[in-house]
Amino acid sequence: MNCMQIKHLVIDSYPDLKLQHTLNAHPANCICIEFDPKGKYFATGSADALVSIWDVAELACIRTLSRLEWPVRTLSFSHDGKMLASASEDLIIDIAEVDSGEKVTEITCEAPTFTVAWHPRRPLLAYACDDRDTYDRNRDAGTVKVFGFPSDNS
């Protein structure tokens, strides 16, 4: 499956890579695509700031999330496929319930987020933002953060 800059999802056969289907995915360029670990869904993120969740068997969009305002740069399904994290240049990471599309939570960030990844067996989300060094704002900080550990305040 290729997410192409012509706003379509192109589905080719394997291994011969012959065209099988072309789906209209978004009114703007697709930027990222991710399969859930169970193989039931895939999600696309686009320059139109939309996240679309697709049923793999039906090749149909079952849900669209519109809580971000900037182009969606990164997506990640949780280890059990129940949650989907999406992020962009917005200063939040949206975490949605896949089955309903409802917001589970959002993570506030101080800079645009360009990568998110769930732990393969636990509800922990690692993410990296375009952070700047505290003392030299012209220098990248290169910080990776993890969301989901229990609070030390309990």
Side-chain angles (χ1 to χ4, degrees):
M1 205 168 290
N2 303 320
C3 202
M4 303 183 60
Q5 291 186 344
I6 55 172
K7 309 167 199 162
H8 305 287
L9 290 174
V10 176
I11 301 168
D12 296 335
S13 60
Y14 181 81
D16 58 357
L17 300 178
K18 293 197 188 284
L19 178 65
Q20 300 297 307
H21 302 281
T22 301
L23 304 172
N24 291 323
H26 289 271
N29 294 347
C30 292
I31 296 173
C32 51
I33 187 168
E34 182 81 14
F35 279 91
D36 85 287
K38 306 293 183 187
K40 184 175 179 181
Y41 302 113
F42 65 91
T44 57
S46 176
D48 59 13
L50 296 175
V51 173
S52 298
I53 301 173
W54 296 76
D55 181 288
V56 170
E58 300 294 323
L59 294 178
C61 182
I62 59 164
R63 192 162 292 103
T64 302
L65 310 176
S66 60
R67 288 188 287 270
L68 298 175
E69 295 181 15
W70 288 85
V72 181
R73 300 287 182 194
T74 182
L75 300 165
S76 184
F77 282 95
S78 61
H79 71 286
D80 57 6
K82 293 181 178 180
M83 293 183 287
L84 177 65
S86 57
S88 67
E89 294 177 51
D90 291 273
L91 299 181
I92 62 162
I93 299 169
D94 181 69
I95 300 178
E97 185 178 276
V98 172
D99 287 338
S100 69
E102 295 295 318
K103 180 191 287 192
V104 173
T105 192
E106 68 180 34
I107 303 167
T108 303
C109 304
E110 295 176 10
T113 304
F114 294 108
T115 188
V116 294
W118 286 98
H119 185 280
R121 292 179 300 283
R122 297 176 59 196
L124 299 173
L125 182 71
Y127 59 99
C129 300
D130 189 20
D131 293 321
R132 298 291 171 200
D133 185 279
T134 304
Y135 303 105
D136 180 359
R137 299 303 291 166
N138 293 322
R139 195 173 125 201
D140 293 334
T143 307
V144 174
K145 300 171 185 165
V146 179
F147 172 83
F149 285 111
S151 174
D152 291 333
N153 299 331
S154 50

